[in-house]
Amino acid sequence: MIIQKTENSRISTFDPSDFSFGNTFIDHMVICEYEDGKWGDVKVVPYGPLAFTPAMMGVNYGQACFEGMKAYKDKDGQVFLFRPEKNFERINKSAARLAMPEVTEEMFLDGLKALVDLDRDWIPYGEGLSLYIRPLIFATEEALKARVANKYMFAIVATPAKSYYTEPVSVKISDHYSRAANGGVGSAKAAGNYAASFYPTQLAIEEGYEQIIWTDDATHEYFEESGTMNVFVRINDTIFTPPTSEKILDGVTRDSFIQLAKRRGIEVKVEPIPVKTVIEAQKNGTLKEVWGVGTAVVTTVFQALGYQGEKLQLPTLSDEESYAATLKNDLVNIQNNVTEDPFGWRVLVDHVMETV
Ligand SMILES: Cc1ncc(COP(=O)(O)O)c(C=O)c1O
């Protein structure tokens, strides 16, 4: 690994109590280039722009995929990653589906740890605070040819992140647009999946909703995901989430919620969720909660479901009554090293860069 430390650190300009998530970048980034069938050296370099032309294949044909993960700081200043091997596995699954080269564990995990260690001062400490990390792979070959590219870049950039707290939102159950199709790329974190979701989401926002519950493309009769999150439904005291498939992203938060719920003895059913069942449960009063889960905000609770012109309200539960709130609390306590980690999910980031 090649480490090129910045001579112009911006850390003195960073105010952990007043920063803009997604626009504030840490001092360094990881880059690694792929050419002639192999990856070159992993480099940790000062964060900044790179030179590409508009003929870069990644922006023309969309060979681009990414990951989203976080690093957390505990009260003693120790830094932890959360289940990073899951993101490593998933970026390679995404890369394979997009006919891009897979990255090695050394590039991904060692690059990640080196970056987070070097810029650990950028990780804010406190409730809801963390560092959001974005590993990505994109085609860099300069060619206007619709074929698999032969040059790529692997990069990791990161931005301090704040508050998990989000207001309950209203979501529209999609009866027309789809996020993913059978045989498509829904289970990959392909950049194009997000581009394709923006327009339907814009339409839903115009109708007074914040997000879309994506349903299956063939019939629109089954829940798949919600916005950029996996979805959970609670009917009486059982929680349901759809099985992962080639249309559903295998979310790290989803998997963690399933395990945390089982540990608490909550009944979890991983099975297709018919829209009809949810609507009926809302009408007969057995629908208790619907929520989305993902790395960025952990949980977003839904207050209303829009379906075929009707807005169906969901009950308002206290944090003690709510499974969404209880499981979120269990999860963030593990992530922030506040409680035991019975699953072995935390990965400590050692101090190694001080000596470099
Ligand atoms: C489409 C989609 N579904 C689900 C998730 C949740 O995945 P995770 O819990 O790994 O963040 C994400 C966010 O990464 C996503 O983009």
Side-chain angles (χ1 to χ4, degrees), residues 272-330:
I273 305 174
V275 175
K276 213 169 114 224
T277 305
V278 178
I279 303 300
E280 275 168 17
Q282 193 276 342
K283 305 244 177 214
N284 68 26
T286 54
L287 183 65
K288 300 275 176 59
E289 296 175 80
V290 185
W291 70 94
V293 302
T295 297
V297 291
V298 187
T299 301
T300 300
V301 170
F302 303 147
Q303 61 177 359
L305 304 176
Y307 188 57
Q308 297 187 335
E310 248 194 294
K311 205 167 195 172
L312 310 166
Q313 293 299 322
L314 285 154
T316 308
L317 304 184
S318 69
D319 278 2
E320 291 70 40
E321 292 167 324
S322 162
Y323 285 175
T326 304
L327 297 172
K328 172 183 178 176
N329 201 41
D330 287 352

Side-chain angles (χ1 to χ4, degrees), residues 66-69 87 90 132 179 186 188-189 193-194 225-230 248-255 293-296:
F66 63 90
E67 270 306 317
M69 56 198 302
N87 301 91
R90 195 169 64 187
Y132 183 83
R179 194 193 78 87
K189 262 180 97 75
N193 284 345
Y194 299 82
E225 298 205 48
S226 130
T228 57
M229 296 183 292
N230 292 111
I248 296 182
L249 196 83
D250 189 356
V252 180
T253 321
R254 171 190 175 280
D255 182 72
V293 302
T295 297

Side-chain angles (χ1 to χ4, degrees), residues 110-132:
D110 295 355
L112 185 65
K113 287 179 191 163
L115 179 69
V116 171
D117 179 28
L118 188 59
D119 280 343
R120 59 174 64 232
D121 291 347
W122 285 89
I123 309 174
Y125 164 69
E127 200 185 334
L129 298 173
S130 60
L131 180 72
Y132 183 83

